[in-house]
Amino acid sequence: WGLELVERRDDKHTFRKEEKVAPRVHAAAFDEGLIVYYSQGCADGARGDLVMVGPPFILDDGELALIIDGLEKAIDQVTRP
């Protein structure tokens, strides 16, 4: 599963590469107990942040809730003032 992280959802405006949003979300997710993958430059080769989650296929509802909750906290920590 992948999530593209954008600064403005209405026009999909990306964060500046210098903000290092994806690496910071990666670190915050790790602090929440999640291991995620990240990539930058997905939009145009220079800009664009992507976070990927690779859960097992035998995931139950409780585990899915933990992933969603942890990822939400990590993203909010990095993108909200």
Side-chain angles (χ1 to χ4, degrees):
W1 305 334
L3 295 169
E4 182 180 7
L5 305 171
V6 294
E7 190 170 14
R8 293 190 311 258
R9 291 177 73 181
D10 59 342
D11 63 357
K12 297 183 179 140
H13 179 73
T14 59
F15 290 99
R16 292 186 348 262
K17 184 176 182 179
E18 298 78 29
E19 293 180 71
K20 300 181 187 217
V21 172
R24 290 172 43 217
V25 168
H26 172 264
F30 190 81
D31 290 343
E32 292 293 329
L34 298 175
I35 297 174
V36 299
Y37 306 95
Y38 74 90
S39 183
Q40 289 187 286
C42 304
D44 62 6
R47 294 174 59 119
D49 293 275
L50 179 69
V51 176
M52 298 161 279
V53 180
F57 289 124
I58 57 170
L59 189 70
D60 66 32
D61 290 344
E63 293 164 326
L64 178 59
L66 288 173
I67 291 171
I68 292 169
D69 185 52
L71 197 52
E72 181 179 25
K73 287 178 183 176
I75 292 169
D76 284 348
Q77 179 182 333
V78 170
T79 61
R80 302 236 189 262

